[in-house]
Structures are given as structure tokens and as C-alpha cells.
Amino acid sequence: DVKVTQSSRYLVKRTGEKVFLECVQDMDHENMFWYRQDPGLGLRLIYFSYDVKMKEKGDIPEGYSVSREKKERFSLILESASTNQTSMYLCASSPRTSGRAGYNEQFFGPGTRLTVL
Amino acid sequence: AQSVTQLDSHVSVSEGTPVLLRCNYSSSYSPSLFWYVQHPNKGLQLLLKYTSAATLVKGINGFEAEFKKSETSFHLTKPSAHMSDAAEYFCVVGKYNFNKFYFGSGTKLNVKP
């Protein structure tokens, strides 16, 4: 079974702190994603990575950065946390195949509920 | 451009009755479509996916969905609801080539005893 793990289930931080959210997958997937989930808004893509050291902005990248130094690990960084970044953060991974790569399903981690005070 | 609209934010059914969760999409090409389920405090789990093979797609736990191109719809159905089906359901459209996915806002399914 594909397993995607996230470093924390719950996290409480203060405004202005630097926050690291870690995600690890064990199925050698090329693609990894960070989403935030807010009530009534579904999931919104923050960043995704299609290879080591490669990244692309999603729909809401402002206030976030990412790092992918190893294939299995994708980190989300909040450089200076703000209260409007209080949310559920979900990591996902998917394989990349040739051709119609958009048809591959994503595998999700359990999520990190971040509260910024 | 791609987008997904889930027509109901909340659906309530009685146990043993049919479930219908509605999803409409827009896509500039033949889309890939998915339904995911999220139980409380859990990550998302794939229910089923459409990838241009059969238009009627069967998934796990008795769910199925029908792709209707003329109506740009991909509604999720189940003949008989079970208490364990209570969860939030997301319809998702995939973007060809770049592995980007667009999520609907979700439908919370409540199952009454």
C-alpha cells in the first residue's frame, strides 16, 4: 500500500514563527503536492513538485515556499506564519507516467491541522 | 480552463435509501474525473476514477458514477446508504499533462438511522 505520512497531526504556532511541515511518501512517486483545506472551499493547491528540486506554484502560493531535496520528501515552509494560514494542510503524491499523466490518482496523507495564534 | 462544481454542500439521507451526490465540471478537453471520500479526521481516499474508458465507473463500497459528456456531469450514486458512508465527498478534475487537480468544494453526506 502507498503510504504518505505527515510529520504532525496537530500543530500550534505563534504569528511570525517559521513553520515546517514535512511529508514523506514510500512509493517512489515523482509528483508531490501540498494543499490547504478550508470549510466550503475544498482543497486548494499551494505548490507541487514533479521531480527532485523541481517545483511549481499552485493557486495560492503566497506566504509559502517548498523544498524537495529528496524524492520521497516534500516540505512546506511558512516563512512567517500568520493567523490566516490557520488551516488543514494535506500532502499528496502520485506517479508520473508518460502520456496522460493527469489520469493518475493522488494518494493523501492524514493532514496537519495548523493553528496560528 | 478546468473547474468543478458540486451542487450540494450538504445531503442527508436515511440508511438504506439511495445516495446521489452531484458534480458538474468544465474542461477544455477530455477530462480525468475522480471522486474522493474524507472521513472525519482522516485523509482523502479514492472512491473511483474516470479515464475515458467505460462511462459508468464502479468504485469501492458500492459507489458508482456515470460520465455524461453532453451534460458535463459526473454524479456519484449508491443504491443503499450505510451509516459508515457519512463523510465528505470531493469531485475532482485532473489537468492533462501537468498533474494538476481541481477540487470541488465538497459535499457532506449525513446518514440518518
Side-chain angles (χ1 to χ4, degrees), chain B residues 69-88:
Chain B
K69 187 175 181 179
S70 60
E71 299 176 10
T72 61
S73 69
F74 190 57
H75 300 335
L76 182 70
T77 60
K78 183 173 180 178
S80 176
H82 192 272
M83 295 297 292
S84 61
D85 295 327
E88 190 162 18

Side-chain angles (χ1 to χ4, degrees), chain A residues 2 11 20 31 39 55 67 81 83-84 89 100:
Chain A
V2 174
L11 208 53
F20 293 86
N31 300 317
K55 61 186 179 185
S67 172
T83 55
N84 63 12
Y89 290 87
R100 313 185 86 168

Side-chain angles (χ1 to χ4, degrees), chain B:
Chain B
Q2 293 70 232
S3 72
V4 180
T5 302
Q6 291 184 243
L7 296 164
D8 305 291
S9 58
H10 291 82
V11 169
S12 186
V13 301
S14 297
E15 192 174 21
T17 64
V19 176
L20 170 64
L21 305 183
R22 298 182 293 164
C23 173
N24 286 105
Y25 70 91
S26 66
S27 177
S28 52
Y29 45 79
S30 183
S32 55
L33 293 160
F34 307 80
W35 275 99
Y36 284 83
V37 61
Q38 185 180 35
H39 288 94
N41 299 314
K42 296 285 178 72
L44 277 71
Q45 179 187 15
L46 180 71
L47 273 179
L48 50 81
K49 65 180 178 181
Y50 166 76
T51 57
S52 77
T55 55
L56 183 62
V57 182
K58 293 191 184 298
I60 61 171
N61 300 334
F63 284 94
E64 61 183 36
E66 186 171 8
F67 173 69
K68 292 187 176 180
K69 187 175 181 179
S70 60
E71 299 176 10
T72 61
S73 69
F74 190 57
H75 300 335
L76 182 70
T77 60
K78 183 173 180 178
S80 176
H82 192 272
M83 295 297 292
S84 61
D85 295 327
E88 190 162 18
Y89 293 79
F90 293 94
C91 182
V92 184
V93 62
K95 180 175 180 178
Y96 174 74
N97 207 33
F98 290 107
N99 284 286
K100 289 186 74 171
F101 298 83
Y102 296 88
F103 285 74
S105 54
T107 298
K108 287 189 176 174
L109 176 64
N110 178 45
V111 182
K112 298 175 289 187

Side-chain angles (χ1 to χ4, degrees), chain A residues 30-100:
Chain A
E30 287 81 7
N31 300 317
M32 296 187 76
F33 307 79
W34 275 107
Y35 295 91
R36 65 177 280 175
Q37 181 180 14
D38 299 289
L41 297 178
L43 275 70
R44 293 179 290 166
L45 182 64
I46 304 171
Y47 269 96
F48 75 101
S49 168
Y50 51 90
D51 206 342
V52 175
K53 297 191 186 294
M54 306 304 289
K55 61 186 179 185
E56 285 205 21
K57 293 180 180 179
D59 300 313
I60 52 163
E62 297 79 18
Y64 303 95
S65 62
V66 290
S67 172
R68 193 163 180 205
E69 297 296 318
K70 293 186 177 181
K71 191 175 185 180
E72 68 272 16
R73 188 179 299 268
F74 191 34
S75 301
L76 180 69
I77 303 153
L78 287 65
E79 295 289 343
S80 177
S82 63
T83 55
N84 63 12
Q85 292 179 308
T86 292
S87 187
M88 170 71 86
Y89 290 87
L90 291 167
C91 176
S93 72
S94 74
R96 183 177 68 236
T97 58
S98 60
R100 313 185 86 168

